[in-house]
Amino acid sequence: MQGEPNRVTTRQKPQQSFWGLWNVSFGFFGIQLAFGLQNANVSRIFQSLGSSVDNLAFLWIAGPVTGLIVQPLIGHYSDRTWGRFGRRRPYFVAGAVLSALALLGLPQAGVLLLAAGFLWLLDASLNIAMEPFRAFVGDMTPDDQRAKGFALQTWFIGAGAVIGSLLPALFTHLGIANTAPEGQVPDSVRLSFYIGAAAMVLAVAWTAFSVREYSPEEMAAFSGTSHEEAASQPLVYSARGPLWFAAGAVLLGVVGELGLDKQLYVLGGGLVLFGFAQMVLRATQAKGALAEIMSDFAQMPTQMRQLAVAQFFTWTALFILWIYTTPVVTRYAFGAVDTAGAAYNAGADWVGVMFAFYNGVAALAAFLLPVLAKRIGNARTHAACLLGGGAGFLLLLVLRDPWLLLLPMVFVGVAWASILAMPYVILTRVLPPHKFGIYIGVFNVFIVVPQLMVATIMGGVIRSFFPTEPKWTMLVGAVVMAGAALAMLRVREDNSA
């Protein structure tokens, strides 16, 4: 009949073989190896170049700010990229190459400001590579195989992070210098970053050349909605712009009036810009990428909003872990305060071992999560794992023996396995397939904002309440991780498949 839109015949997405799932996720091995190097060594590099402990959080601020901007944009455009090189592949290949360049430059920086610039490039590039990989698993797996897909991705994440975290200690064991003059980075760290750059490119290239992405016609057949129909959906303009703008303005005023930490200007300014953008888009009825991202943000599914609260608390705790474990362990377990001394560098190496250990635990726990989730549900499984992670933070607060510090890493590792898998299993079951990229990018906002808050607030908290006792950051981490577990109990999930 004339005038009736073309109908898309729906068919089932094919099951992936084990090696199909392997190839889809193998690139994440390289991405997480780079993340492992970053998380375990960037604070060490910054301190070696002269940063004080209370300035570490601010120097890490490049990552959250970059992710806040990059991931939604990459998600939006990767949903709409249909070319000869695929849909997601162009993005994670470009991200891998840029990440490798940043890994080569970071330990060579020599100056604190330049090192912070390389960290910014590394975070931006890792975000460009990582976000499409999350959506890639959703693209390539049917609903009933997605938990296995994310579990295998979590295994690669754990394996990559284990190697990335252990590399400096391994090279030290092989006789490569683990100390350096003040203002320089040890050779063991430099060589680790070079190896990470090569691994990043090779692992992502494996996935890029071994997996054929589905065509637009195939994706339309799987979802029952063509790309053209999805793109023609009307935009929704949020009416909450004035509220965000006012909240940011109030925060900026309070910071200025009370003389609070100037790093809070970053957070207040971000809220003002977000609110202003919403108001302009609503007033002008604008079109384009920014308008579509804001529209999708306003139309988030209920489960995504519920998950967002848990993500906020979860990633607040994780960012505390990554920033402050090095100063806590080196000071309390190794008695070191001189960042150029052997004791400090031995303690920093041990932090790499600890991080490798929890990622190894995560790699093993990843395959137990689907079994537990079948019994008690995805949301409750995630809540239990997060509660265990909070217990790990409490143990980091009180334990002093280096070997005993591996015990809290068991709890952190189980939580980390769940963090990497369960929210995405829940999320991809309720998201429209043609918007996997944008919504996973938007979901990253609730990972980035808490990191931004830690980066802008935590330094001031340390200076005000425990300037000589960084161990109390672990208590803060325990409290917010417990809050994340409680928030997960509110999540209502789609338990089908």
Side-chain angles (χ1 to χ4, degrees), residues 230 233 278 294 304 335 407 430 449 455:
Q233 293 176 353
Q278 288 188 323
M294 290 292 193
M304 186 171 172
L407 176 60
V430 299
V449 169

Side-chain angles (χ1 to χ4, degrees), residues 45-134:
I45 291 173
F46 285 162
Q47 286 189 281
S48 296
L49 296 178
S51 172
S52 62
V53 172
D54 58 359
N55 283 328
L56 286 177
F58 184 69
L59 290 169
W60 277 74
I61 202 171
V65 173
T66 303
L68 190 64
I69 298 169
V70 169
Q71 288 226 17
L73 284 172
I74 294 298
H76 170 82
Y77 285 113
S78 72
D79 280 340
R80 290 159 174 76
T81 297
W82 302 96
R84 56 180 297 193
F85 297 111
R87 186 186 192 189
R88 314 289 182 188
R89 286 183 294 179
Y91 294 94
F92 54 67
V93 169
V97 173
L98 292 172
S99 296
L101 295 176
L103 287 168
L104 293 174
L106 186 56
Q108 293 283 1
V111 179
L112 188 59
L113 185 60
L114 184 58
F118 275 117
L119 176 62
W120 172 82
L121 176 61
L122 179 60
D123 270 302
S125 305
L126 288 173
N127 276 297
I128 291 170
M130 181 177 64
E131 194 284 335
F133 255 109
R134 296 279 191 203

Side-chain angles (χ1 to χ4, degrees), residues 155-166:
W155 187 87
F156 278 122
I157 290 171
V162 166
I163 296 174
S165 300
L166 278 178

Side-chain angles (χ1 to χ4, degrees), residues 348-360:
D349 276 352
W350 191 249
V351 171
V353 173
M354 291 168 60
F355 281 17
F357 188 76
Y358 89 67
N359 278 286

Side-chain angles (χ1 to χ4, degrees), residues 4-12 215-232 433-434:
E4 184 175 331
N6 293 328
R7 300 289 183 184
V8 178
T9 303
T10 304
R11 63 186 178 91
Q12 181 66 33
S215 68
E217 294 75 21
E218 288 172 311
M219 292 297 291
F222 298 144
S223 66
T225 304
S226 70
H227 178 64
E228 291 73 17
E229 289 174 315
S232 66
H434 61 277

Side-chain angles (χ1 to χ4, degrees), residues 218-422:
E218 288 172 311
M219 292 297 291
F222 298 144
S223 66
T225 304
S226 70
H227 178 64
E228 291 73 17
E229 289 174 315
S232 66
Q233 293 176 353
L235 300 181
V236 174
Y237 299 91
S238 174
R240 296 180 179 178
L243 296 177
W244 291 108
F245 185 92
V250 168
L251 178 56
L252 290 174
V254 170
V255 173
E257 183 68 25
L258 300 181
L260 300 179
D261 197 313
K262 290 183 173 55
Q263 297 171 23
L264 289 170
Y265 282 123
V266 176
L267 182 59
L271 292 174
V272 167
L273 289 175
F274 181 66
F276 181 73
Q278 288 188 323
M279 290 189 292
V280 170
L281 291 172
R282 183 176 174 85
T284 62
Q285 297 291 295
K287 307 295 182 183
L290 180 60
E292 292 180 18
I293 291 171
M294 290 292 193
S295 175
D296 290 330
F297 190 94
Q299 299 179 80
M300 285 187 294
T302 300
Q303 291 91 337
M304 186 171 172
R305 295 177 187 274
Q306 295 166 341
L307 281 167
V309 178
Q311 289 289 90
F312 178 86
F313 287 117
T314 298
W315 285 85
T316 298
L318 287 173
F319 211 50
I320 289 172
L321 178 79
W322 294 335
I323 294 175
Y324 293 106
T325 299
T326 295
V328 168
V329 170
T330 54
R331 175 171 298 191
Y332 298 105
F334 287 80
V337 291
D338 178 11
T339 59
Y344 175 86
N345 284 285
D349 276 352
W350 191 249
V351 171
V353 173
M354 291 168 60
F355 281 17
F357 188 76
Y358 89 67
N359 278 286
V361 171
L364 297 176
F367 297 105
L368 300 177
L369 293 176
V371 178
L372 183 59
K374 282 186 175 293
R375 298 180 65 88
I376 66 173
N378 297 311
R380 290 185 178 181
T381 295
H382 193 41
C385 293
L386 293 177
L387 196 60
F393 275 89
L394 289 177
L395 289 173
L396 284 171
L397 175 65
V398 299
L399 295 178
R400 296 290 176 266
D401 180 87
W403 286 101
L404 287 179
L405 286 172
L406 295 179
L407 176 60
M409 294 297 99
V410 173
F411 294 98
V412 171
V414 172
W416 182 232
S418 187
I419 290 164
L420 294 173
M422 302 316 296

